[in-house]
């Protein structure tokens, strides 16, 4: 199966092409530039370099969030458009599942996280053993004190993985000294990990029209609008 994968939910943009479970090309940048201007050129360049034509693709895999609202929308819009136009299925995969997949060789609890600003984090709880990683607690958004309480409650080895680990490291270690941290290199979201999750989970495959973003919380503008009496959100 030929899979085009990409993630733009953080400041990292990553695009990959895999063929029958093997990554044949990957392009990853950490530039603080607009993903919307760079994603399609990166996809086009990588397909040309790997010799894979758009018509040869069997599926699209995209990180559906949580993360940057703009970044999530860019990934979802691009994935839906490509999948619909090529008439192929699309895999919407959690940004946190992506990170957990990259740490699956750790035996124990894996806690992926993405900073959500204002002393909050997007996080979930996964458990890995012998290279197999599964979700234990659903992804969501928590204030940091509540998140630290959840970390303290986990029985056994715990690995934290996230691009902004240094921002929370001191408070994490104050709450639990035995927490391990993934390396900076391992914590970079890579599109090839999306393809790996897709290959293992056919159930995640949906039609382009069914793919929806996973924001985990309201945008700041929407919160203020509701607080100002703008109506209720379904």
């Amino acid at each position: 199966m030929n899979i085009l994968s990409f993630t733009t939910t953080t400041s990292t943009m990553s695009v990959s092409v895999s063929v029958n479970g093997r990554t044949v090309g990957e392009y990853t940048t950490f530039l603080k530039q607009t993903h919307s201007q760079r994603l399609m050129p990166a996809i086009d360049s990588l397909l040309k370099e790997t010799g894979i034509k758009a018509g040869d693709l069997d599926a699209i895999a995209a990180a559906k969030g949580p993360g940057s609202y703009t970044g999530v929308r860019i990934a979802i819009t691009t994935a839906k458009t490509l999948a619909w136009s090529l008439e192929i299925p699309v895999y919407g995969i959690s940004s946190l599942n992506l990170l957990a997949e990259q740490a699956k060789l750790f035996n124990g609890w894996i806690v992926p996280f993405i900073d959500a600003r204002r002393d909050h984090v997007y996080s979930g709880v996964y458990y890995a053993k012998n290279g197999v990683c599964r979700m234990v607690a659903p992804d969501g958004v928590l204030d940091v004190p509540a998140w630290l309480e959840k970390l303290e409650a986990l029985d056994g080895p715990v690995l934290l993985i996230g691009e902004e680990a240094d921002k929370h490291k001191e408070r994490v270690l104050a709450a639990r000294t035995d927490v391990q941290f993934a390396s900076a290199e391992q914590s970079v979201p890579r599109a090839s990990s999306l393809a790996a999750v897709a290959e293992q989970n056919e159930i995640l495959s949906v039609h382009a029209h069914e793919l929806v973003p996973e924001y985990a919380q309201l945008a700041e503008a929407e919160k203020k609008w509701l607080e100002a009496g703008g109506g209720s959100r379904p």
Side-chain angles (χ1 to χ4, degrees), residues 79 91 105 124:
Y91 292 80
L105 296 182

Side-chain angles (χ1 to χ4, degrees), residues 84-98:
W84 178 79
S85 62
L86 295 172
E87 298 183 335
I88 56 177
V90 59
Y91 292 80
I93 296 166
S94 159
S95 310
L96 296 167
N97 193 348
L98 181 166

